[in-house]
Each structure stands twice: as C-alpha cells, then as structure tokens.
Amino acid sequence: MSRLGQLQPCSLREGKQMANQGKQSNEGPEPTSTSQPLVRLADQSQLDFEIDFYGGILERLPDYVDVLRVMGNYLTLKGRYAQGLVIDKRLVQLRPKDPLAHYNLACSYALLKRPEQALRTLRLAIELGYRDFRYMREDHDLDAIRQDPRFRQLLREYENR
C-alpha cells in the first residue's frame, strides 16, 4: 500500500477494496473523475460554503430565525453588507422586540454609511435591552458612527441607568 493509501480514511480505503473485488486486473486503481460540484467546493472558502449551505436552508425555510442570524453574520464577514442588511431587516420583522436583531440592523446601517438609520436603530436596540456598551465601543461594524457626537451621547445617556 502506498503512503497516500495509508492516509485515506478507513471507509474510503474499504470502499476502494470493495469496488475492486471481482476485478481480475493488475492495472492499478482506475482514474477517478472529479465532478463539477466537487471542483467548485474545493475552490470555495469555508465561509462561501457556509453561505451557500445556509442559503439553501433559507430557500426552504425563509423565516428560520437562527439560520437568518448566522447568515447575516456570514454575509457581513464576507463584506456583502447590502445582503446582510436585507437579512437583518427580515430578522427585525420576525422579532420586533429582539434587542440583538436591532443591534445587528444598526451595524448593517453603519457599515453601509447610513449614520441616521444606524443611530436611530441602535437607540431602539438599547431601549429594548441591549446593554453591552463595552462591545459597542469596540465593535468595528460601528466604526462609521463611533466618532459621531450622537453616538457618544447615546452611550452616556444609557450607560448610567
């Protein structure tokens, strides 16, 4: 057995042995063709794969809140802010009293350089109970509004409550 054969998972090695049973040829293993979807997956990053995977779930279950949250985060990580905004708006529709949904929506607005909407939505997130002020001060998604005096005023207003 070659070193490569030794590195294969047991089930793959057993499958090749089973596939070769009954063959009376000493030509060695048959070349395997790589299907187009497998090539595409090999070229994708893990994040792209996850976005495709969760996108498939959302096609079947468009109101699946947990998947929407993950998808919104992944789209933001990928820099696809406008698509993330659509997801965050949907989450706020489904969970209108969820402070985290409003916080994430505020982040999407900030990433898209829409400070008025970002600040208004961030205020609502805080009013609904979002209280991680330290994280708000460090969250890079809010960089576009961090220097805005209204942002600092908002934190001062609610941090001491």
Side-chain angles (χ1 to χ4, degrees):
M1 184 180 290
S2 71
R3 287 176 48 99
L4 182 60
Q6 292 171 352
L7 296 175
Q8 294 174 339
C10 293
S11 60
L12 184 57
R13 287 195 308 265
E14 290 168 8
K16 283 186 178 179
Q17 288 172 351
M18 289 175 65
N20 289 327
Q21 287 177 353
K23 286 188 180 181
Q24 301 301 321
S25 171
N26 291 327
E27 296 174 26
E30 293 182 31
T32 57
S33 65
T34 306
S35 66
Q36 197 62 8
L38 290 177
V39 170
R40 197 182 106 224
L41 287 176
D43 291 340
Q44 283 184 314
S45 73
Q46 181 66 30
L47 189 55
D48 290 326
F49 173 81
E50 303 261 346
I51 288 170
D52 287 347
F53 176 78
Y54 287 114
I57 293 172
L58 290 174
E59 285 176 14
R60 292 185 307 279
L61 303 166
D63 294 343
Y64 195 154
V65 171
D66 292 332
V67 173
L68 285 166
R69 286 188 198 280
V70 171
M71 185 66 129
N73 287 333
Y74 285 163
L75 290 168
T76 298
L77 287 171
K78 195 69 180 167
R80 293 162 60 178
Y81 305 137
Q83 290 173 304
L85 176 66
V86 170
I87 297 285
D88 290 333
K89 284 180 173 182
R90 181 73 184 130
L91 278 166
V92 166
Q93 285 178 334
L94 292 169
R95 301 284 169 107
K97 296 190 185 296
D98 183 341
L100 182 58
H102 287 275
Y103 179 80
N104 288 335
L105 180 58
C107 289
S108 286
Y109 283 132
L111 288 165
L112 289 166
K113 309 280 191 267
R114 293 163 70 175
E116 301 300 325
Q117 292 165 303
L119 288 162
R120 186 174 56 247
T121 307
L122 185 59
R123 175 175 291 280
L124 182 54
I126 294 169
E127 289 171 357
L128 289 170
Y130 191 86
R131 290 291 187 266
D132 194 345
F133 296 106
R134 191 176 116 226
Y135 186 71
M136 280 186 247
R137 291 182 190 285
E138 299 171 4
D139 188 351
H140 290 295
D141 290 356
L142 299 176
D143 284 351
I145 61 170
R146 186 161 294 108
Q147 300 308 316
D148 190 308
R150 296 172 294 176
F151 175 81
R152 292 190 299 270
Q153 176 58 36
L154 179 63
L155 294 187
R156 279 194 304 271
E157 186 179 328
Y158 283 93
E159 266 184 315
N160 298 322
R161 287 186 178 188

